[in-house]
Amino acid sequence: MGKTIHLLSVIVCCMLAVACHEDAVQVDQSADTDNTPTLLTQVQKCSRLYTTEYHIHKIVTHDDVVRLKGNLLKKDFDFALPLGERKIAIPMDATVKAYIDMSEITEENIERDGDKVTIVLPDPKLTLTSSKIRQQDIREYVGVMRSHFTDREMASYEQQGRQAIIDHLSHLNFLTTAQENATRVLVPILVQMGYKEENITIAFRKGLSLRQLIPTKIERYEETR
C-alpha cells in the first residue's frame, strides 16, 4: 500500500514591478473627466495587468511496501516483507502569476459621485506560467525485490504535485496584493486625466473571496524540464 506526501513551500512571494500588457499607456491629459467613455478607454488600454508572482517549491514523496496479510491458526497477521520497499522524492519548482484583464471593464465597473470615481476591478485570474521538475535531484530507493518506478507512475506523481499547487493557492494572499498593485498603476493614470488622488477608489466587487478564484485546474500551463 503506497502513500504520497506533498511538501510545499512558497519560497518567494514577490510583487511584480506592475506593468500593463502593452508597452506603454498613453494618457490623453486633455480628456474630459466627466466623460465616462473616455475614462473607460484610458483604463482599458492597460489590457492585462500582472499584479503578483509566486515562486513555489514543492517536493512530492511517495513510498510503498509489499505487505503480507492473512490468517494463521485463527490469528491475523500483517507485516512488511523485507527488502520490499520503494521510495521516491520528486522536487518541483513552479511559478504562479495573478493578473487582471482590464479589457473586461465596462461602464458598469465605473461608479461616479461628483468629483469622486470608483473603479470596480474584474476578478483576478491565476495562471501557472511554468513548472520544472528537477530531474537531477530526484531521489529514488528501490528494494531488491521491487521494480523501479515506471514513467507512468512518475507522471502520475508529478500531476499530483501540480494539483497540490492549485489546492494551495487559497492560502496565498494574492487578492490584497492584486488590489494594491492595480491601485499603483491606475491612480496615476486617473490623476493625469484630472482626478484628485483622494477622490479615486480602486476596489474589487463586494463579497469576492479567494476560494471563488481558485480554478479546478490551472488556466494555462507551460512545462519546462
Side-chain angles (χ1 to χ4, degrees):
M1 192 69 179
K3 60 180 180 179
T4 304
I5 300 174
H6 305 282
L7 305 176
L8 187 149
S9 61
V10 179
I11 56 174
V12 179
C13 173
C14 63
M15 291 184 293
L16 295 178
V18 185
C20 299
H21 184 65
E22 297 183 353
D23 293 336
V25 176
Q26 300 295 327
V27 178
D28 182 3
Q29 297 187 12
S30 63
D32 182 5
T33 58
D34 292 331
N35 191 329
T36 298
T38 300
L39 172 58
L40 180 62
T41 299
Q42 296 295 338
V43 172
Q44 286 179 335
K45 285 182 179 179
C46 191
S47 59
R48 178 170 287 195
L49 184 63
Y50 283 95
T51 59
T52 315
E53 179 177 298
Y54 294 95
H55 296 273
I56 299 174
H57 178 68
K58 182 180 59 58
I59 299 176
V60 178
T61 65
H62 180 87
D63 65 86
D64 60 63
V65 296
V66 175
R67 305 190 67 86
L68 183 61
K69 299 180 181 181
N71 183 281
L72 181 63
L73 300 176
K74 298 182 179 181
K75 290 186 177 180
D76 294 331
F77 61 86
D78 179 2
F79 59 89
L81 293 179
L83 306 179
E85 187 176 12
R86 294 194 310 169
K87 297 180 179 180
I88 192 169
I90 305 173
M92 301 176 62
D93 292 321
T95 299
V96 177
K97 292 182 180 180
Y99 71 91
I100 299 172
D101 189 350
M102 303 302 287
S103 66
E104 295 181 354
I105 289 184
T106 66
E107 291 192 17
E108 294 181 356
N109 295 90
I110 300 176
E111 302 173 0
R112 300 175 57 177
D113 182 11
D115 294 333
K116 297 181 179 180
V117 61
T118 297
I119 296 180
V120 180
L121 299 169
D123 294 352
K125 298 179 181 179
L126 297 171
T127 177
L128 179 62
T129 57
S130 67
S131 177
K132 182 178 181 180
I133 307 299
R134 296 185 181 181
Q135 297 287 348
Q136 70 278 11
D137 294 329
I138 293 177
R139 295 294 179 262
E140 183 178 0
Y141 168 80
V142 180
V144 295
M145 296 178 61
R146 302 296 303 278
S147 59
H148 285 272
F149 290 95
T150 65
D151 290 342
R152 184 175 181 178
E153 288 175 316
M154 295 274 288
S156 175
Y157 304 149
E158 292 171 11
Q159 182 58 41
Q160 291 178 42
R162 298 183 190 108
Q163 185 61 48
I165 293 175
I166 297 174
D167 295 340
H168 186 76
L169 294 179
S170 62
H171 300 288
L172 304 180
N173 189 27
F174 68 86
L175 191 58
T176 299
T177 306
Q179 182 177 359
E180 292 174 349
N181 288 343
T183 299
R184 291 189 178 96
V185 171
L186 295 178
V187 167
I189 294 175
L190 300 183
V191 168
Q192 290 184 56
M193 291 183 62
Y195 291 93
K196 294 182 179 180
E197 184 172 344
E198 60 269 22
N199 291 336
I200 302 171
T201 301
I202 309 297
F204 287 116
R205 62 182 173 88
K206 295 180 179 179
L208 179 62
S209 67
L210 288 174
R211 191 165 298 278
Q212 292 175 313
L213 302 177
I214 305 303
T216 55
K217 62 180 180 178
I218 284 293
E219 169 192 317
R220 181 165 63 92
Y221 174 65
E222 300 172 359
E223 183 176 9
T224 304
R225 289 182 177 272

